Amino acid sequence: MSTSRTVICLLSNDLRLHDNEVFHWAQRNAEHIVPLYCFDPSHYLGTANYNLPRTGPFRLRFLLDSIQDLRTSLIQRGSTLVVRRGRPEEVVGDLIKQLGSVSAVAFHEEVVPEDQQVERGVRDICSQMKVKVHTCWGSTLYHRDDLPFNHLSRLPDIYTQFRKAVETQGRVRPVLPTLDQLKPLPPVSGLDEGPIPSPEDLEQTDIVRDPRSAFPCSGGETQALARLQHYFWDTDAVATYKETRNGLIGLDYSTKFSPWLAVGCISPRYIYQQIKKYESERTANQSTYWVVFELLWRDYFKFVGAKYGDRLFDIKGLQDKSIPWKKDMNLFNAWKEGRTGVPFVDANMRELALTGFMSNRGRQNVASFLTKDLGLDWRMGAEWFHYLLVDHDVSSNYGNWLYSAGIGNDPRENRKFNMIKQGLDYDNNGDYVRHWVPELKGIRGGEVHTPWTLSSASLSHALVSLNDTYPSPIVMAPEWSRHTNKKPQTGAGPPARGKKGPSHTPKQHKDRGIDFYFSRSKNF
């Protein structure tokens, strides 16, 4: 390839400079580079089944922050980020015509069918205009070509089999360094960088940050690397990750890497490299391994998405199992608005609605509640998460909802979480519930998880009126009664001054887990 040519680097979920093969390839093969991000209008349409918005306000704000951060970093390296609004294949075609000297378009491949459709459109345009296409793979810890399976069709349908195979037979490629300089944009008149749109430009309102949020962070590679520095090297929080990862309140109970991973502000290989460095220089234990374990779960769902394609979104799931799901919008609205009358569910759903984030533990529980207690179509929950989650990743989200619904990658049948037991195990003093359901703040201790079991006098003392200030449960599960008499405190009203209630440090189980999405709990 002539080095006098121009390469367009079409960016998507790879908004970083470190460990970015697309930039490295372009730097070697072109004299001029055009880093390009397109705001694809299809990302702001409705979801497939229930017409919920595809991109909610929290993820949009995080994305806009990430794009601004990348532009700033590129400017510091002699380039900039060209931003356009429109279908990527059309934007690329227009740029090829405008620049006249484009020799190649480079991008990272994705696994989601809709993204692959965009990629096919870009390939078609480039083929028509006789421009080369160069693709890379950079979204997973293990490179697709390094998997110990002859073809993705041979990918195991059980995570443990996948994990053992890649851990014993695979290798993690080294991290590509951050380029100090990037080849400049071509000196073409009229090639402006373009404005980064506001939420209002995309017909959304900007977020109001809730001070209670467990994820009060901004998007961008700069912030992602700072988060890793804080969690690993400044606080050593990573060394106790396995013990704290089921927390509910605060920033540091888990890595919180998932939003940056979702848009590619941080590379999974960089996290792995830093884990290995930390283990070498400070300590290696179950907690440091568990971060890698979680990255492998993320990889697994990416490759499951690549293997099954559109079946990831099928109501029958990966098992082709017919289940008579309900589509009761009244039940769904109560679930998504946090007014089911089950405080642990409601607290989690309100946190999601107000912050775009929910803990791993919460996600498992509200998904189980929707599919197993309410019997609603799992796609209702998946599409609501798709809309609101700041860290939404298509493969992980839909793969995990299939798992929760019992029609995904799960060798066990009829898994169901007991909402009351889960609440008492992981929020035993009720602090998390009172954090997000303030109308129950007068009920102290674990009694807050089951207000319907309290006496009229206790409710009155706590200023709670069932079906008035707070609803009665919209459904009752028989297994809940086994735990209504085992709460750590009884009564209503705040704890006496000077007395501490039981710690709300989450009870630990011998479970496997996904910090980024759901975990596999053996003890429900």
Side-chain angles (χ1 to χ4, degrees):
M1 182 185 295
S2 169
T3 57
S4 64
R5 308 293 288 191
T6 297
V7 169
I8 295 173
C9 294
L10 178 60
L11 304 174
S12 179
N13 294 320
D14 51 355
L15 302 178
R16 64 179 183 270
L17 288 174
H18 75 276
D19 201 30
N20 192 319
E21 188 179 350
V22 165
F23 284 139
H24 276 264
W25 184 86
Q27 189 77 352
R28 292 193 307 268
N29 290 285
E31 183 177 348
H32 299 289
I33 296 175
V34 179
L36 171 67
Y37 184 87
C38 297
F39 282 88
D40 187 339
S42 68
H43 292 173
Y44 304 92
L45 301 177
T47 54
N49 298 292
Y50 294 97
N51 199 35
L52 299 169
R54 287 176 185 264
T55 303
F58 301 102
R59 191 160 71 258
L60 177 57
R61 169 43 58 196
F62 194 84
L63 174 64
L64 295 175
D65 291 343
S66 301
I67 290 168
Q68 182 60 64
D69 183 74
L70 181 58
R71 173 176 278 180
T72 299
S73 296
L74 286 167
I75 289 172
Q76 293 169 352
R77 289 163 176 80
S79 180
T80 189
L81 179 63
V82 174
V83 172
R84 297 289 186 268
R85 292 173 63 183
R87 296 181 62 83
E89 58 269 38
E90 295 174 359
V91 171
V92 166
D94 289 344
L95 274 176
I96 291 172
K97 291 177 184 177
Q98 179 184 359
L99 299 176
S101 62
V102 175
S103 55
V105 175
F107 55 83
H108 278 111
E109 291 183 58
E110 297 286 342
V111 302
V112 177
E114 289 184 357
D115 293 336
Q116 292 176 335
Q117 184 177 353
V118 170
E119 292 170 9
R120 286 192 294 271
V122 171
R123 291 177 190 273
D124 289 346
I125 286 290
C126 290
S127 176
Q128 294 168 21
M129 305 182 83
K130 296 185 169 43
V131 170
K132 178 181 177 179
V133 170
H134 179 82
T135 63
C136 306
W137 184 268
S139 62
T140 53
L141 177 61
Y142 285 86
H143 194 286
R144 176 183 56 190
D145 296 343
D146 298 336
L147 294 178
F149 316 109
N150 293 333
H151 190 271
L152 277 175
S153 63
R154 304 285 297 273
L155 182 80
D157 283 331
I158 297 174
Y159 166 73
T160 302
Q161 296 175 4
F162 165 81
R163 177 182 60 81
K164 290 180 178 179
V166 296
E167 286 182 338
T168 57
Q169 304 170 50
R171 70 180 183 96
V172 176
R173 296 187 180 186
V175 172
L176 297 171
T178 302
L179 295 168
D180 293 328
Q181 289 288 311
L182 201 67
K183 300 285 181 64
L185 267 62
V188 177
S189 61
L191 179 60
D192 64 296
E193 63 179 13
I196 297 174
S198 67
E200 291 74 20
D201 292 333
L202 299 170
E203 300 183 2
Q204 293 214 29
T205 56
D206 205 355
I207 63 171
V208 177
R209 295 193 185 275
D210 193 300
R212 296 170 293 179
S213 176
F215 188 78
C217 306
S218 301
E221 179 181 19
T222 303
Q223 289 75 20
L225 298 179
R227 172 62 185 170
L228 186 145
Q229 173 69 29
H230 168 83
Y231 194 80
F232 284 20
W233 302 104
D234 296 345
T235 65
D236 289 307
V238 67
T240 56
Y241 166 70
K242 193 169 187 286
E243 287 71 47
T244 64
R245 65 193 173 88
N246 279 311
L248 299 168
I249 299 175
L251 179 59
D252 284 347
Y253 64 75
S254 63
T255 68
K256 302 296 197 299
F257 293 153
S258 55
W260 290 292
L261 280 165
V263 293
C265 289
I266 195 166
S267 156
R269 290 192 300 224
Y270 178 74
I271 297 172
Y272 179 85
Q273 177 203 66
Q274 291 293 300
I275 279 285
K276 293 303 173 185
K277 182 181 179 186
Y278 186 91
E279 289 179 333
S280 173
E281 297 181 8
R282 296 200 180 172
T283 188
N285 58 20
Q286 280 195 323
S287 288
T288 55
Y289 168 71
W290 219 256
V291 175
V292 178
F293 185 94
E294 310 290 8
L295 290 174
L296 287 176
W297 262 115
R298 181 178 176 274
D299 269 20
Y300 182 59
F301 277 118
K302 290 279 188 187
F303 296 128
V304 166
K307 176 179 178 178
Y308 286 103
D310 281 327
R311 286 181 63 187
L312 208 61
F313 314 105
D314 193 286
I315 192 169
K316 294 183 179 180
L318 307 184
Q319 300 181 19
D320 196 31
K321 184 187 295 185
S322 294
I323 296 175
W325 300 109
K326 293 186 290 187
K327 299 184 179 182
D328 186 317
M329 294 308 294
N330 289 327
L331 291 177
F332 177 62
N333 288 335
W335 177 83
K336 71 184 180 69
E337 294 165 11
R339 49 180 183 83
T340 68
V342 183
F344 193 55
V345 173
D346 291 346
N348 278 288
M349 295 307 298
R350 294 185 195 186
E351 179 184 16
L352 174 63
L354 291 169
T355 72
F357 194 81
M358 188 193 297
S359 70
N360 164 54
R361 180 58 47 180
R363 298 182 200 200
Q364 312 173 51
N365 275 278
V366 301
S368 177
F369 185 78
L370 180 129
T371 58
K372 302 298 174 63
D373 288 301
L374 299 182
L376 292 176
D377 180 356
W378 66 271
R379 299 172 304 173
M380 290 174 147
E383 292 184 9
W384 186 248
F385 273 29
H386 190 154
Y387 164 47
L388 275 180
L389 281 174
V390 68
D391 60 357
H392 183 259
D393 174 288
V394 173
S395 299
S396 290
N397 182 45
Y398 284 85
N400 274 296
W401 273 96
L402 287 170
Y403 171 86
S404 184
I407 53 177
N409 295 85
D410 183 6
R412 290 163 293 178
E413 296 278 342
N414 301 319
R415 295 178 69 261
K416 180 185 180 186
F417 283 92
N418 181 325
M419 293 300 109
I420 308 308
K421 182 179 189 302
Q422 288 281 306
L424 293 171
D425 280 350
Y426 295 98
D427 182 36
N428 64 340
N429 195 34
D431 293 339
Y432 175 72
V433 164
R434 284 184 290 273
H435 199 58
W436 291 105
V437 189
E439 59 265 43
L440 299 180
K441 65 183 179 182
I443 303 176
R444 73 183 184 199
E447 296 286 0
V448 77
H449 289 288
T450 53
W452 63 89
T453 66
L454 297 181
S455 68
S456 298
S458 294
L459 290 171
S460 177
H461 189 264
L463 304 179
V464 174
S465 175
L466 289 182
N467 300 317
D468 182 11
T469 62
Y470 186 72
S472 293
I474 58 175
V475 65
M476 292 285 286
E479 66 270 17
W480 295 354
S481 63
R482 298 200 301 266
H483 305 281
T484 54
N485 296 320
K486 298 179 181 179
K487 295 177 287 294
Q489 287 190 9
T490 59
R497 182 169 297 179
K499 294 184 178 180
K500 293 184 178 180
S503 167
H504 62 269
T505 300
K507 178 179 178 180
Q508 293 304 309
H509 297 302
K510 295 179 180 178
D511 61 343
R512 307 194 302 276
I514 299 180
D515 174 47
F516 309 115
Y517 283 89
F518 308 159
S519 72
R520 272 58 179 161
S521 174
K522 295 179 181 175
N523 191 335
F524 309 147

